[in-house]
Amino acid sequence: MRITKPGGDPVDLDTVDLFDHGLYATGDPHAIWAAMRGHAPVHRQTLPDGRGFWSVTRYHDVNDVLRDHTRFTSSQGTLLSILGSTDPAGGKMMAASDPPVHSALREPMGKVLSHSALQEHNPRIRRVVLRMLGPLLDGGVWDIARAAARFPMAFTGTLMGLPESDWPRLAGLTTMAIAPQDPEYRQSDGHGTLAAAHHQLFAYFSEQARNRKRHPSDDLVGFLVRMRAGDRPLKHDEIVYNCYSLLLGANVTTPHAVAGTVLALIEHPDEYRRWRQEPRRTSTAVEEGLRWASPANHFMRHATQDMTLHGVQIKEGDAVVAWLGSANRDEQVFPDPFRFDTARSPNRHVAFGFGPHYCIGAPLARIALRMLFTEIVAAVGEFALAGPVEHLTSNFVAGIKSMPVTARLDHQAAREIATAIAEEGQVAV
Ligand code: HEM
């Protein structure tokens, strides 16, 4: 998805199509979102087959929809891809449930994925970071988007105890599940692709869960097998759905935070120079990268009651889509939102959502992104594009599939990373 500052031609809000996956592959929804924030903060779109959804695009409305689970339920599915059907994971998968079921699932999982609990995994995450950067040090053209696509699989796969030989297939299947219309992932039609990806991922995690029941282990899958939601153990399908959700949550978002941030740095070289001069900026710069890239475009809810929002009547059962990418560019909240500012503060972006479903993987993503960019900022003096940027065909993920770059290396820092890679090379991830 391209990111350009709106301000050109007026947008006809009666004909816009935010459902269209192609818009995000070749176009840029920012002009549409800006027009909606300005003139139609609650906007209705009806698809040719009669299915329809409301869009909220302003920051505070997005927060309200995501926060208020009593008026906006997650249990009928949270992605536009499920619009008009019932989510079989409703009430079983944390992401597709409401309190109290949601809280009972989230509380124990939140503990093992907390910032403090993850500290013991930092050395492993660092090994994953170093491995990813290895090819960069060789010089030449490096496709950072394709490298980043493997990055979360490595750290989440390690935490979940999934064999490394399975990682490439799992990374491919999770992308198939969120971008079934993308020509690179599409098999037959989009629905068939989504069904095939789900079938294979559920069968995979079903087998993993059975293994852990036979051979208990202290990885995340083993944890879910032993975990209690309130006073009961999880059922087999609950374990499978939540394994799927954890892997999907990590795999389909984190790569695009990496590629999106690097693209922003190429387009804003002064900001990169400032970051390099002041490496202590890494935390704020990573947050700005998350706001800028907003890897998850939207999350959906369904109204549990009739209500009026900004004078618009919403009926019980209606789908309401909160556009995170729009909220993160709301000019009422973010001064000069189309300026990439590595020192932006405050920066209360909603790239990780808001309210009860706030991303449970945010501590892990932040640790990994900060480690990665600490090394990148030390080793790379400058990035340049070395080929076309290819975007993912998906209305859910604002993704970059391919982005060949060249890097001017800081040789001293690059040598230190190469030495660390050689030392770490002796140790398995
Ligand atoms: C840059 C990286 C990431 C981004 C931008 C991101 C974004 C989000 C967002 C916006 C939500 C809210 C969903 C909603 O409101 O319905 C969410 C929830 C979730 N994320 Fe992430 N995520 C990232 C990384 C991760 C990682 C690394 C994991 C796995 C460890 C993960 C697993 C999940 C899960 C399981 C949920 C559901 C939480 C709940 O329902 O309580 N995510 N994520």
Side-chain angles (χ1 to χ4, degrees):
M1 183 181 109
R2 283 163 185 71
I3 299 173
T4 42
K5 187 173 178 170
D9 300 332
V11 175
D12 178 359
L13 289 178
D14 291 335
T15 57
V16 295
D17 185 358
L18 283 177
F19 193 87
D20 174 21
H21 301 279
L23 169 67
Y24 308 86
T26 53
D28 178 354
H30 281 286
I32 300 174
W33 288 337
M36 286 183 178
R37 288 196 300 273
H39 310 293
V42 183
H43 174 273
R44 177 84 184 166
Q45 181 178 334
T46 306
L47 301 180
D49 60 14
R51 291 177 299 159
F53 61 94
W54 298 101
S55 285
V56 294
T57 42
R58 289 184 184 167
Y59 181 88
H60 293 295
D61 294 332
V62 164
N63 280 4
D64 286 347
V65 168
L66 296 182
R67 180 183 48 210
D68 189 352
H69 64 87
T70 59
R71 290 198 305 159
F72 300 101
T73 174
S74 291
S75 63
Q76 292 172 40
T78 61
L79 302 185
L80 265 173
S81 56
I82 203 130
L83 183 69
S85 25
T86 316
D87 190 342
K92 297 176 180 171
M93 183 170 82
M94 176 172 51
S97 59
D98 302 311
V101 174
H102 172 262
S103 333
L105 290 168
R106 174 142 180 152
E107 204 242 343
M109 276 197 237
K111 282 189 188 144
V112 287
L113 288 169
S114 70
H115 183 82
S116 53
L118 289 168
Q119 294 309 303
E120 63 169 297
H121 300 291
N122 279 359
R124 282 177 179 181
I125 299 174
R126 187 169 146 74
R127 283 198 282 278
V128 171
V129 164
L130 292 173
R131 263 202 204 182
M132 172 178 162
L133 292 178
L136 169 76
L137 305 181
D138 297 341
V141 176
W142 183 51
D143 194 324
I144 187 166
R146 301 235 180 247
R150 297 187 289 272
F151 174 54
M153 187 62 248
F155 59 76
T156 316
T158 306
L159 290 184
M160 294 181 85
L162 309 176
E164 189 169 344
S165 52
D166 296 341
W167 294 354
R169 179 172 155 248
L170 292 170
L173 286 172
T174 45
T175 308
M176 260 168 79
I178 55 95
Q181 311 288 347
D182 190 284
E184 200 174 320
Y185 295 93
R186 192 182 167 121
Q187 302 176 344
S188 66
D189 64 43
H191 291 298
T193 308
L194 181 61
H198 278 166
H199 178 76
Q200 292 181 59
L201 285 165
F202 295 155
Y204 179 83
F205 281 119
S206 189
E207 185 53 32
Q208 289 290 321
R210 267 191 225 105
N211 279 344
R212 300 303 189 285
K213 284 175 190 166
R214 284 194 296 268
H215 310 288
S217 70
D218 59 2
D219 54 48
L220 261 181
V221 180
F223 175 81
L224 284 168
V225 165
R226 290 191 311 275
M227 188 184 116
R228 298 184 76 80
D231 56 1
R232 64 171 184 87
L234 298 192
K235 297 189 187 105
H236 187 73
D237 61 348
E238 290 173 315
I239 299 169
V240 171
Y241 279 131
N242 284 292
C243 286
Y244 162 82
S245 176
L246 283 171
L247 189 68
L248 191 88
N251 271 6
V252 305
T253 49
T254 323
H256 308 299
V258 175
T261 301
V262 171
L263 183 57
L265 292 169
I266 291 171
E267 290 168 347
H268 302 80
D270 289 349
E271 280 303 304
Y272 190 46
R273 265 192 292 281
R274 276 187 211 115
W275 188 353
R276 294 204 75 221
Q277 281 158 9
E278 227 183 286
R280 277 188 316 179
R281 273 187 192 205
T282 295
S283 299
T284 55
V286 162
E287 295 306 311
E288 180 68 342
L290 285 160
R291 182 190 75 88
W292 189 264
S294 293
N297 267 334
H298 77 259
F299 274 97
M300 186 172 74
R301 302 289 189 259
H302 286 84
T304 58
Q305 53 189 258
D306 293 352
M307 66 183 91
T308 306
L309 269 188
H310 291 291
V312 173
Q313 291 284 317
I314 294 183
K315 292 218 156 44
E316 180 183 346
D318 282 358
V320 180
V321 176
W323 293 96
L324 307 177
S326 172
N328 280 338
R329 292 288 193 300
D330 187 335
E331 38 293 280
Q332 303 299 323
V333 175
F334 300 99
D336 206 354
F338 283 85
R339 194 164 71 85
F340 184 75
D341 177 0
T342 52
R344 186 179 286 275
S345 177
N347 187 356
R348 294 193 191 90
H349 66 74
V350 287
F352 288 124
F354 191 73
H357 292 277
Y358 182 84
C359 179
I360 199 167
L364 177 57
R366 284 193 165 113
I367 291 172
L369 290 170
R370 286 175 194 165
M371 275 191 197
L372 177 69
F373 278 102
T374 298
E375 303 298 342
I376 286 182
V377 166
V380 178
E382 196 180 27
F383 279 111
L385 281 180
V389 179
E390 281 180 45
H391 299 267
L392 200 61
T393 307
S394 165
N395 63 20
F396 170 44
V397 171
I400 297 179
K401 282 196 299 188
S402 172
M403 191 169 102
V405 296
T406 50
R408 182 173 56 73
L409 295 176
D410 175 314
H411 290 293
Q412 169 68 21
R415 261 195 304 276
E416 283 167 22
I417 296 180
T419 308
I421 294 175
E423 285 166 8
E424 297 288 2
Q426 319 300 320
V427 187
V429 168

